[in-house]
Amino acid sequence: MSSPLSWGPPHPERADAARNRQRLLTTARELLSEAGPDSLTMDRLAERSGLGKGTVFRRFGTRAGIFQALLDDNERALQHEILSGPPPLGPGAAPVDRLTAYGSARIRFLTENEDIARAATEGRRPGGRRPPMSQIHIRVLLRELDLPGADVDVLTGQLASALEAPLLLQLLDAPEQDRSALTARFEVGWRYLVERVCGSTGTTAG
Amino acid sequence: MSSPLSWGPPHPERADAARNRQRLLTTARELLSEAGPDSLTMDRLAERSGLGKGTVFRRFGTRAGIFQALLDDNERALQHEILSGPPPLGPGAAPVDRLTAYGSARIRFLTENEDIARAATEGRRPGGRRPPMSQIHIRVLLRELDLPGADVDVLTGQLASALEAPLLLQLLDAPEQDRSALTARFEVGWRYLVERVCGSTGTTAG
DNA sequence: CGCGTAAGCGGGGTAAAGTCCGCTTATGTC
DNA sequence: GACATAAGCGGACTTTACCCCGCTTACGCG
């Protein structure tokens, strides 16, 4: 049983729809490699694919959606390695090792697809994104902690990203839960993370 | 001197510019509370502030920039508490405690400003955001690890957010560094995080 | 094989974002 | 207080995302 799990669209598309999606993705990649992300407009993509604008929007919903779709599509190979490739990325290794392996793989994947990832994430660059308050504050505190072997700058980013809006909003989107309970969970989760990372790990073993 | 540190714009604005920024923020809040985020268009904001559209864009660069600015402005109070409020949020407590306190404060801040945060982050909702591959995979592995006292769902989100595009892209934006070194750092950082969290913490103490 | 129907398609229309560049005005200097 | 100059301003203009809704077509069923 390779059990492909449920990582496919739960609702299979009609044959022509699938064909058009493929055509659109291909054209998108062409435009991208020919003239960069800015040249990839919905109109142009539609026309050059020989399809209607409506179709493009039906498929991807949003301009960012196209880049997201491209990214997802490129991610398929990685997905396959995880499901049925060799360890430690694939099954068979210890969970911790699979976790670190997955992280490395994903980081490499993102750097290889930097331009697409960038286009999928940021709309336009609103100018100088100075590091926000969170990062400055967290960095200072981490430095005071003086964690041996830690890359403070990287760790700062990692912790800060756990306090960014998208994560919390995603949790809040969970249906039929009451807010206060969710935020409480989130706060406890944060405390857990901090304690683990900045860890009084040795104290218990004494 | 409460030493305001360097958390202000490093380049002071002209008096009229400052006044206009304030006017714009106020109007933005009015529009927001009167008719919701969707009603806040650049044109409307400009007109209702009695200013030109160019001014709005000069100030905020982008529609999302307005919401970001609103958020930043609302965050000022929190900022002040951190710099000179009572512990554990303010100075005087142990760094770890300040970290957890900061996290809690920020989480509460975000929930209180949910609508603005949402508008600042997501452009439009591209439809059903099913949880991406990262989360599914990480969640499975975390469950296998069976960490005592951990909220797996929350922890999943936290770890996944450390592998999301924005964080890596931000690091890659650092000037005059070579890519491979940065990604290597990032990979090491990830390994560090995973080991800390999923911790073979007791093993060293044995 | 023909029919019903729901999914998919098309492309014109609208409103909003973001750009440009000449004009205005704050601010520092003599 | 007049001047020089650089920052700020305005609003017409262009481009583009995104919506709408009648038409077309794939595909399951009898």
Side-chain angles (χ1 to χ4, degrees):
Chain A
M1 270 198 299
S2 43
S3 85
L5 283 183
S6 57
W7 287 355
H11 186 69
E13 9 178 37
R14 234 167 67 174
D16 55 347
R19 183 164 36 78
N20 284 344
R21 143 173 270 123
Q22 209 50 49
R23 190 198 258 319
L24 286 169
L25 287 179
T26 303
T27 309
R29 273 191 255 269
E30 283 174 19
L31 284 170
L32 219 50
S33 72
E34 281 173 21
D38 288 349
S39 74
L40 179 40
T41 85
M42 303 303 255
D43 276 335
R44 199 138 32 204
L45 176 57
E47 188 187 19
R48 193 145 154 185
S49 303
L51 297 170
K53 222 195 310 194
T55 306
V56 178
F57 277 94
R58 161 170 290 264
R59 277 281 84 83
F60 303 114
T62 258
R63 187 185 130 93
I66 293 175
F67 294 101
Q68 195 57 54
L70 284 175
L71 223 45
D72 285 357
D73 198 57
N74 288 352
E75 214 173 1
R76 228 169 273 279
L78 179 54
Q79 216 172 101
H80 185 260
E81 283 191 64
I82 289 169
L83 285 175
S84 53
L89 196 52
V96 195
D97 296 328
R98 293 194 72 190
L99 254 188
T100 64
Y102 173 67
S104 289
R106 173 152 178 95
I107 291 162
R108 273 192 297 264
F109 171 77
L110 282 178
T111 57
E112 281 162 16
N113 293 275
E114 182 184 345
D115 49 348
I116 302 182
R118 196 154 245 138
T121 319
E122 69 189 31
R124 300 284 178 112
R125 43 197 64 213
R129 289 270 52 164
R130 69 197 156 96
M133 173 172 105
S134 271
Q135 299 230 0
I136 299 178
H137 189 47
I138 291 177
R139 173 174 284 113
V140 169
L141 293 177
L142 285 180
R143 277 206 210 290
E144 289 181 24
L145 280 165
D146 192 35
L147 300 170
D151 184 330
V152 175
D153 286 331
V154 172
L155 188 55
T156 296
Q158 292 166 333
L159 289 183
S161 75
L163 290 179
E164 286 299 308
L167 181 57
L168 177 57
L169 294 178
Q170 169 195 314
L171 287 212
L172 288 181
D173 278 339
E176 60 181 332
Q177 305 279 350
D178 71 310
R179 300 316 182 82
S180 57
L182 281 177
T183 61
R185 263 181 81 189
F186 200 46
E187 287 185 47
V188 172
W190 168 255
R191 164 178 246 111
Y192 180 90
L193 182 64
V194 168
E195 279 172 0
R196 275 298 197 159
V197 168
C198 306
S200 43
T201 63
T203 57
T204 55
Chain B
M1 267 199 297
S2 44
S3 90
L5 282 184
S6 57
W7 286 357
H11 186 71
E13 7 177 39
R14 235 166 67 171
D16 54 347
R19 184 164 34 78
N20 284 342
R21 141 173 273 121
Q22 209 49 50
R23 190 198 257 321
L24 285 169
L25 287 179
T26 303
T27 309
R29 272 190 256 268
E30 284 174 19
L31 284 171
L32 219 49
S33 72
E34 281 174 21
D38 287 349
S39 74
L40 179 40
T41 83
M42 303 304 253
D43 275 333
R44 200 137 34 204
L45 176 58
E47 187 187 20
R48 193 148 153 182
S49 303
L51 297 171
K53 216 199 315 195
T55 306
V56 178
F57 276 94
R58 160 171 289 264
R59 269 314 102 210
F60 302 114
T62 258
R63 188 185 128 93
I66 292 175
F67 294 100
Q68 194 58 54
L70 284 174
L71 222 46
D72 285 357
D73 199 57
N74 288 352
E75 215 173 2
R76 226 170 275 277
L78 179 55
Q79 215 172 101
H80 185 261
E81 284 192 65
I82 289 169
L83 286 175
S84 53
L89 196 52
V96 195
D97 296 328
R98 294 195 72 192
L99 255 187
T100 64
Y102 173 67
S104 289
R106 175 153 177 94
I107 290 163
R108 274 191 297 263
F109 171 78
L110 282 179
T111 56
E112 281 162 15
N113 294 274
E114 183 183 344
D115 49 348
I116 303 182
R118 198 156 243 138
T121 320
E122 69 189 30
R124 301 283 178 114
R125 43 198 64 209
R129 286 273 54 167
R130 68 195 156 98
M133 172 171 106
S134 271
Q135 299 229 2
I136 299 177
H137 189 46
I138 292 177
R139 172 174 283 114
V140 169
L141 293 176
L142 285 181
R143 278 206 210 289
E144 290 181 23
L145 280 166
D146 191 36
L147 299 171
D151 184 330
V152 174
D153 286 331
V154 172
L155 188 55
T156 296
Q158 291 166 333
L159 289 182
S161 76
L163 290 179
E164 287 299 307
L167 181 57
L168 177 56
L169 293 178
Q170 168 195 316
L171 288 211
L172 288 180
D173 278 340
E176 60 179 332
Q177 305 278 353
D178 71 311
R179 301 315 183 84
S180 55
L182 281 176
T183 61
R185 262 180 82 188
F186 199 46
E187 288 185 47
V188 172
W190 169 256
R191 164 177 247 111
Y192 180 90
L193 182 64
V194 167
E195 279 171 0
R196 274 299 198 156
V197 168
C198 305
S200 43
T201 63
T203 57
T204 55

